[in-house]
Short mmCIF file of all heavy atoms in Angstrom, two decimals:
data_model
loop_
_atom_site.label_atom_id
_atom_site.label_comp_id
_atom_site.label_asym_id
_atom_site.label_seq_id
_atom_site.Cartn_x
_atom_site.Cartn_y
_atom_site.Cartn_z
N HIS A 54 18.61 -70.06 56.02
CA HIS A 54 18.73 -71.53 56.14
C HIS A 54 19.79 -71.91 55.09
O HIS A 54 19.61 -71.57 53.90
CB HIS A 54 17.43 -72.22 55.87
CG HIS A 54 17.60 -73.70 55.94
ND1 HIS A 54 17.66 -74.40 57.12
CD2 HIS A 54 17.69 -74.62 54.98
CE1 HIS A 54 17.85 -75.67 56.86
NE2 HIS A 54 17.84 -75.87 55.55
N ALA A 55 20.82 -72.60 55.52
CA ALA A 55 21.92 -72.96 54.62
C ALA A 55 21.96 -74.51 54.47
O ALA A 55 21.89 -75.22 55.43
CB ALA A 55 23.25 -72.44 55.11
N GLU A 56 22.09 -74.90 53.23
CA GLU A 56 22.36 -76.31 52.85
C GLU A 56 23.64 -76.28 52.08
O GLU A 56 24.12 -75.25 51.63
CB GLU A 56 21.23 -76.85 51.97
CG GLU A 56 19.85 -76.85 52.61
CD GLU A 56 19.68 -78.05 53.52
OE1 GLU A 56 20.33 -79.10 53.30
OE2 GLU A 56 18.89 -77.97 54.49
N PRO A 57 24.30 -77.44 51.81
CA PRO A 57 25.52 -77.43 51.04
C PRO A 57 25.36 -76.82 49.63
O PRO A 57 26.27 -76.22 49.10
CB PRO A 57 25.89 -78.90 50.95
CG PRO A 57 25.30 -79.54 52.15
CD PRO A 57 24.00 -78.74 52.35
N ASP A 58 24.17 -76.94 49.06
CA ASP A 58 24.01 -76.45 47.67
C ASP A 58 22.90 -75.38 47.55
O ASP A 58 22.40 -75.09 46.47
CB ASP A 58 23.70 -77.60 46.71
CG ASP A 58 22.39 -78.32 47.08
OD1 ASP A 58 21.88 -78.08 48.20
OD2 ASP A 58 21.90 -79.11 46.27
N ARG A 59 22.52 -74.73 48.70
CA ARG A 59 21.45 -73.74 48.65
C ARG A 59 21.52 -72.88 49.89
O ARG A 59 21.77 -73.32 50.99
CB ARG A 59 20.11 -74.41 48.57
CG ARG A 59 18.95 -73.50 48.46
CD ARG A 59 17.66 -74.26 48.31
NE ARG A 59 16.54 -73.38 48.39
CZ ARG A 59 15.53 -73.43 47.61
NH1 ARG A 59 15.45 -74.31 46.61
NH2 ARG A 59 14.54 -72.64 47.68
N LEU A 60 21.26 -71.58 49.69
CA LEU A 60 21.11 -70.61 50.76
C LEU A 60 19.81 -69.86 50.57
O LEU A 60 19.60 -69.24 49.53
CB LEU A 60 22.31 -69.65 50.78
CG LEU A 60 22.18 -68.48 51.77
CD1 LEU A 60 22.19 -68.99 53.19
CD2 LEU A 60 23.29 -67.42 51.54
N ASP A 61 18.93 -69.95 51.55
CA ASP A 61 17.69 -69.25 51.52
C ASP A 61 17.71 -68.12 52.56
O ASP A 61 18.13 -68.35 53.73
CB ASP A 61 16.52 -70.17 51.84
CG ASP A 61 16.27 -71.21 50.78
OD1 ASP A 61 16.53 -70.92 49.62
OD2 ASP A 61 15.83 -72.38 51.14
N SER A 71 16.99 -66.63 47.28
CA SER A 71 17.52 -67.99 47.35
C SER A 71 18.67 -68.10 46.40
O SER A 71 18.60 -67.60 45.26
CB SER A 71 16.40 -68.94 46.93
OG SER A 71 16.82 -70.29 47.10
N PHE A 72 19.75 -68.73 46.81
CA PHE A 72 20.96 -68.83 46.02
C PHE A 72 21.37 -70.28 45.87
O PHE A 72 21.33 -71.06 46.86
CB PHE A 72 22.10 -68.07 46.72
CG PHE A 72 21.80 -66.60 46.94
CD1 PHE A 72 21.27 -66.19 48.12
CD2 PHE A 72 22.10 -65.69 45.97
CE1 PHE A 72 20.96 -64.87 48.34
CE2 PHE A 72 21.81 -64.33 46.15
CZ PHE A 72 21.25 -63.93 47.34
N THR A 73 21.78 -70.64 44.65
CA THR A 73 22.31 -71.96 44.41
C THR A 73 23.56 -71.82 43.54
O THR A 73 23.68 -70.79 42.85
CB THR A 73 21.26 -72.87 43.64
OG1 THR A 73 20.92 -72.20 42.42
CG2 THR A 73 20.06 -73.12 44.50
N PRO A 74 24.48 -72.77 43.59
CA PRO A 74 25.71 -72.67 42.75
C PRO A 74 25.32 -72.59 41.25
O PRO A 74 24.36 -73.29 40.81
CB PRO A 74 26.48 -73.90 43.06
CG PRO A 74 25.89 -74.45 44.32
CD PRO A 74 24.46 -73.96 44.38
N ALA A 75 26.09 -71.86 40.52
CA ALA A 75 25.93 -71.83 39.05
C ALA A 75 26.38 -73.19 38.49
O ALA A 75 27.32 -73.80 38.95
CB ALA A 75 26.75 -70.72 38.44
#
Side-chain angles (χ1 to χ4, degrees):
H54 178 77
E56 298 280 333
D58 61 347
R59 182 178 172 135
L60 172 65
D61 294 326
S71 186
F72 302 93
T73 56

